[in-house]
Amino acid sequence: MEATATNNTYAAPSAELEFESDAQTAKLFTLQGRMGVLKYAAQSLLWMVVFGLLTVAAFAVTGGMSSMTGEGPSPILFGMIGLIALPGIFLMLCLLSKRLHDLNMSAWFALVMIIPVVGSFFGLYAMFWPGKADANRFGAAAETKTWEKVVGGLYIALMVVGVAAGIFAVVSASF
């Protein structure tokens, strides 16, 4: 009787494995995965608007900055803003880590953002520097949806116009 790979008890085990497709579907509240420039810009803008609207709603619900006695900010307002800010900060950290992974950098580089001047330039680098289209050590490139391309492109264009307008204002004020 001749031994084959299917009935050989000493053969190495094998399994039918299904691999993920090249384009990953990014999960929102995770530190894994990759995110391209336009996807990062669109997601950042979307979630900044959402958390900004939630903050405005917190001001409206608590009556703004006046407490019941009129002596200062309402403690309820601080609690509500804290409940809004913590998930917002974590979400933005998740988005930044995916963007850094697209640049083939560890998410620990996000700590550079807390350095005053260097962090500003690093944030611009993370926002604008294109990642690689092929897979890196953090996985395959994430697919960018059409709405993310449009919104991300508009957001980047508005940022460029805003920076140019700020430079123009500073230069014209000095003359």
Side-chain angles (χ1 to χ4, degrees):
M1 180 173 182
E2 203 171 300
T4 62
T6 57
N7 64 5
N8 185 355
T9 57
Y10 298 107
S14 64
E16 296 292 324
L17 300 176
E18 292 185 29
F19 293 99
E20 293 182 27
S21 65
D22 289 329
Q24 294 179 353
T25 56
K27 294 178 178 60
L28 192 59
F29 286 101
T30 181
L31 297 172
Q32 281 102 23
R34 292 175 56 186
M35 188 174 281
V37 172
L38 294 176
K39 186 177 189 75
Y40 175 71
Q43 292 286 333
S44 296
L45 178 64
L46 170 74
W47 291 108
M48 281 191 291
V49 168
V50 167
F51 286 107
L53 290 174
L54 289 173
T55 303
V56 169
F59 272 93
V61 166
T62 60
M65 291 298 288
S66 62
S67 65
M68 300 289 185
T69 60
E71 295 177 9
S74 169
I76 297 171
L77 175 66
F78 286 127
M80 289 180 77
I81 290 178
L83 287 175
I84 294 167
L86 288 177
I89 290 169
F90 180 71
L91 178 63
M92 292 308 217
L93 180 65
C94 289
L95 294 176
L96 180 60
S97 73
K98 291 174 196 158
R99 180 70 197 115
L100 291 173
H101 288 171
D102 194 52
L103 297 169
N104 205 19
M105 299 173 76
S106 170
W108 286 104
F109 277 97
L111 292 174
V112 173
M113 298 290 281
I114 62 175
I115 302 171
V117 175
V118 176
S120 299
F121 289 109
F122 186 75
L124 289 173
Y125 167 75
M127 174 64 90
F128 294 115
W129 199 262
K132 302 293 182 215
D134 52 344
N136 63 15
R137 64 186 171 136
F138 298 105
E143 182 180 332
T144 304
K145 298 174 185 159
T146 304
W147 76 268
E148 291 170 332
K149 292 177 184 177
V150 172
V151 172
L154 289 173
Y155 182 46
I156 290 173
L158 285 174
M159 284 194 329
V160 169
V161 168
V163 168
I167 291 171
F168 178 74
V170 169
V171 169
S172 66
S174 65
F175 288 112

